[in-house]
């Protein structure tokens, strides 16, 4: 069927739908490819799992220690919760494809920063920065990249402080540096991000334009509420 009788808007919508269908087909092909099967097997190799788990556990330990120190210092709760994960093979494959890289575990290790990831959710914004500083001062791990999406939120309103750290993993004579992404944010930022995950983030095959606009507007409320909560805390007590 030609475009006769269709409005410009209808034609544009069909073009976009066709583009999305092609993208989705490419994603499915990538996920089912032989290279993807190899990547899945490599991710499950005992030494790869061990190195990712080592980096996660080391950071988990450090964050818990920092939490204990800060709770003593301020006599209040500082970190609300800590979550960690090793990225799933499908998510690694999709990310490699999105970024235009070859699908292989070696490429993923080199190019992606978040195969191992840990997230600490704090009550207040100033805690986020204090924890980040304390982590950066640790001599056995190294900061290789910092992304401050709190000072400069992403276009869609996402806020979080990301530290990409390098953890040395000694095995015999060799030392391998394992990357891990540490996400630090407030509980209010976290709620927004979780809702974004449910509704819009990486939902490129759904029509989420209006929801994205609304979520972006709500992210302003997140900024406001975090500021007010901090002021309130300071009013109540010198914490
Ligand atoms: P998942 O499924 O959560 O793991 P790089 O330039 O390579 O350092 P990268 O990883 O391409 O950076 O991008 P970025 O922006 O630093 O994002 C890293 C992670 O932050 C994402 O991982 C998400 O977990 C989270 N994130 C980033 N942007 C958003 C957003 O807009 N909304 C939400 N809810 N989370 C976000 P993945 O692999 O994309 O996703």
């Amino acid at each position: 069927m030609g475009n006769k009788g269709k409005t410009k808007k209808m034609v544009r919508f069909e073009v976009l739908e066709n583009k999305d269908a092609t993208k989705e087909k490419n994603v499915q092909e990538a996920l089912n490819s032989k290279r993807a099967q190899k990547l899945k097997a490599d991710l499950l190799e005992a030494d790869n799992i061990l190195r990712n788990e080592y980096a996660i556990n080391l950071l988990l330990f450090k964050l818990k220690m920092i939490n204990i120190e800060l709770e003593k210092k301020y006599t209040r709760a500082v970190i609300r919760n800590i979550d960690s994960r090793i990225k799933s093979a499908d998510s690694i494959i999709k990310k490699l494809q999105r970024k235009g890289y070859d699908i292989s575990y070696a490429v993923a290790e080199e190019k992606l920063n978040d195969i191992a990831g840990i997230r600490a959710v704090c009550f207040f914004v100033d805690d986020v920065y204090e924890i980040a500083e304390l982590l950066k001062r640790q001599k056995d791990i190294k900061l290789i990249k910092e992304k401050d999406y709190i000072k400069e939120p992403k276009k869609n309103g996402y806020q979080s402080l990301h530290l990409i750290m390098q953890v040395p993993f000694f095995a015999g004579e060799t030392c391998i540096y394992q990357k891990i992404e540490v996400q630090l944010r407030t509980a209010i930022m976290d709620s927004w991000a979780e809702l974004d995950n449910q509704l819009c983030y990486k939902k490129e095959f759904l029509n989420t334009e209006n929801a994205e606009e609304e979520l972006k507007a709500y992210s302003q409320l997140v900024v406001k509420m975090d500021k007010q909560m901090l002021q309130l805390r300071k009013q109540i007590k010198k914490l």
Side-chain angles (χ1 to χ4, degrees):
M1 190 178 142
N3 287 339
K4 226 174 160 192
K6 291 180 188 169
T7 62
K8 260 190 189 169
K9 200 175 173 187
M10 280 160 86
V11 173
R12 192 175 153 263
F13 190 66
E14 272 180 17
V15 171
L16 286 177
E17 265 195 333
N18 288 338
K19 266 192 187 166
D20 281 353
T22 314
K23 263 197 208 163
E24 198 167 2
K25 192 168 152 258
N26 290 342
V27 170
Q28 284 313 320
E29 275 174 10
L31 288 173
N32 295 326
S33 66
K34 280 209 173 116
R35 282 168 305 155
Q37 302 314 313
K38 173 83 172 70
L39 184 147
K40 283 179 195 176
D42 288 346
L43 178 66
L44 293 175
E45 281 288 330
D47 55 337
N48 288 331
I49 290 188
L50 199 66
R51 277 188 282 114
N52 282 313
E53 280 181 350
Y54 176 76
I56 286 173
N57 284 325
L58 187 71
L59 263 298
L60 188 61
F61 175 80
K62 286 180 181 297
L63 284 165
K64 282 184 176 173
M65 283 302 292
I66 288 174
N67 189 38
I68 291 171
E69 279 168 32
L70 294 181
E71 285 196 354
K72 273 192 204 150
K73 181 171 161 191
Y74 297 122
T75 57
R76 62 171 172 83
V78 174
I79 295 182
R80 189 190 68 176
N81 62 284
I82 304 175
D83 288 316
S84 63
R85 60 103 183 93
I86 295 179
K87 205 174 184 67
S88 72
D90 280 5
S91 179
I92 293 176
I93 294 160
K94 284 185 193 166
K95 193 160 186 171
L96 287 173
Q97 207 204 22
R98 220 171 38 239
K99 289 177 172 260
Y101 295 130
D102 271 356
I103 293 171
S104 89
Y105 188 71
V107 173
E109 280 221 309
E110 189 197 334
K111 303 288 185 188
L112 306 187
N113 293 323
D114 64 342
I115 296 179
I118 191 159
R119 177 182 304 139
V121 177
C122 311
F123 287 99
F124 299 100
V125 184
D126 56 350
D127 293 335
V128 165
Y129 287 104
E130 185 161 11
I131 293 168
E133 279 316 306
L134 292 170
L135 275 180
K136 286 189 240 171
R137 268 190 236 151
Q138 311 259 328
K139 293 209 165 56
D140 54 339
I141 54 174
K142 194 174 154 198
L143 176 78
I144 52 174
K145 190 172 176 182
E146 179 168 358
K147 285 184 170 180
D148 192 343
Y149 294 128
I150 298 178
K151 287 215 171 76
E152 275 182 55
K154 285 182 76 165
K155 264 204 261 162
N156 62 350
Y158 174 76
Q159 294 180 74
S160 193
L161 179 65
H162 293 188
L163 305 179
I164 312 299
M165 318 272 331
Q166 214 175 35
V167 172
F169 182 86
F170 294 94
E173 298 288 291
T174 54
C175 175
I176 297 169
Y177 290 95
Q178 192 67 28
K179 283 184 282 185
I180 177 163
E181 182 181 78
V182 185
Q183 295 185 354
L184 300 167
R185 59 196 187 213
T186 66
I188 304 173
M189 290 170 195
D190 191 54
S191 300
W192 184 97
E194 286 300 318
L195 288 166
D196 181 43
N197 263 334
Q198 293 295 317
L199 300 173
C200 297
Y201 189 51
K202 292 194 283 186
K203 304 270 188 289
E204 57 261 46
F205 306 127
L206 298 177
N207 183 8
T208 54
E209 256 176 50
N210 293 341
E212 280 169 29
E213 281 298 305
E214 260 194 75
L215 265 177
K216 192 176 173 175
Y218 299 150
S219 75
Q220 298 298 320
L221 299 178
V222 169
V223 175
K224 199 171 165 196
M225 226 172 139
D226 267 328
K227 270 193 190 147
Q228 288 178 334
M229 288 297 167
L230 188 58
Q231 275 174 12
L232 196 61
R233 190 196 78 202
K234 289 180 177 172
Q235 265 176 37
I236 294 170
K237 205 172 158 202
K238 271 217 150 116
L239 291 173

